[in-house]
Amino acid sequence: KTLGRFVKDPKMRCHKLENMNVVMKALSEQEVRLVNIGVEDVVDCKKKLMLGLLWSIILKYQLEGALSEGAKTVKAGLLCWAQRITAEYPEVNIVNFCGSFQDGKALCAMVHKMFPDSINLEEAFKMDHADTIQLALDTAEIVMGVPKLLDAPCTAVCPEERSVMTQVSEF
């Protein structure tokens, strides 16, 4: 589907606003949730609002497919999926997208479930949390083509729920 007419090299504010109107209309037609953000906010680079828009786009196009039958939200559906594929790993107990992923065991178990020969879980679970996360991310990238969206040292200290959800959805 084409977006319609737009200015290819916008230099003036009015051209940038016109272009963003085209984008926002297309997002709205695709039922992307646009809350408290307008074209001026994007053109004026209001970072918090733009991050909210980015999350709405990720939620719509990346995470919406994770919604399983019976789950009321995307988050619940993705959490249920992660719990199902790691159920056979007694060292892994996924209850949320923060603390449950802080030690890296859940990510390693997810990779191991799909590619059992790719990770030695016994060794991985003995490692420092940041190293375990890094191992899972590196292995997922190599054997599955999953892009690394998390920073291992930061995730080991304070995982950000939305970032973890986005990473898990890549599996």
Side-chain angles (χ1 to χ4, degrees), residues 66-125:
L67 188 58
S68 63
E69 280 191 40
K72 294 190 185 329
T73 65
V74 171
K75 180 179 170 182
L78 190 60
L79 188 65
C80 183
W81 175 81
Q83 290 167 335
R84 258 194 333 269
I85 69 161
T86 59
E88 68 185 66
Y89 300 92
E91 305 89 347
V92 177
N93 182 28
I94 298 176
V95 294
N96 58 44
F97 287 107
C98 293
S100 298
F101 287 84
Q102 199 166 5
D103 61 7
K105 290 179 180 179
L107 290 171
C108 279
M110 291 169 72
V111 174
H112 186 267
K113 177 70 174 179
M114 295 172 205
F115 291 89
D117 296 332
S118 65
I119 290 184
N120 178 336
L121 288 183
E122 190 176 315
E123 290 298 318
F125 289 176

Side-chain angles (χ1 to χ4, degrees), residues 8-64:
K8 287 188 180 184
D9 188 21
K11 300 217 184 314
M12 297 174 57
R13 179 178 171 77
C14 63
H15 294 149
K16 293 175 183 179
L17 290 169
E18 284 178 33
N19 285 354
M20 278 313 303
N21 267 323
V22 171
V23 171
M24 295 297 251
K25 182 179 179 207
L27 290 173
S28 181
E29 288 171 359
Q30 292 290 312
E31 298 180 1
V32 173
R33 192 169 167 236
L34 304 173
V35 178
N36 295 329
I37 187 162
V39 294
E40 298 87 3
D41 299 320
V42 177
V43 171
D44 294 340
C45 297
K46 294 187 177 173
K47 290 179 184 175
K48 282 190 178 188
L49 294 175
M50 289 174 63
L51 287 171
L53 175 61
L54 180 61
W55 176 247
S56 292
I57 292 169
I58 290 170
L59 196 60
K60 172 67 179 172
Y61 295 107
Q62 179 71 24
L63 301 179
E64 194 173 74

Side-chain angles (χ1 to χ4, degrees), residues 138-159:
D138 290 344
T139 306
E141 184 176 50
I142 292 166
V143 300
M144 300 165 59
V146 172
K148 288 185 243 183
L149 303 175
L150 297 174
D151 177 68
C154 290
T155 304
V157 174
C158 184

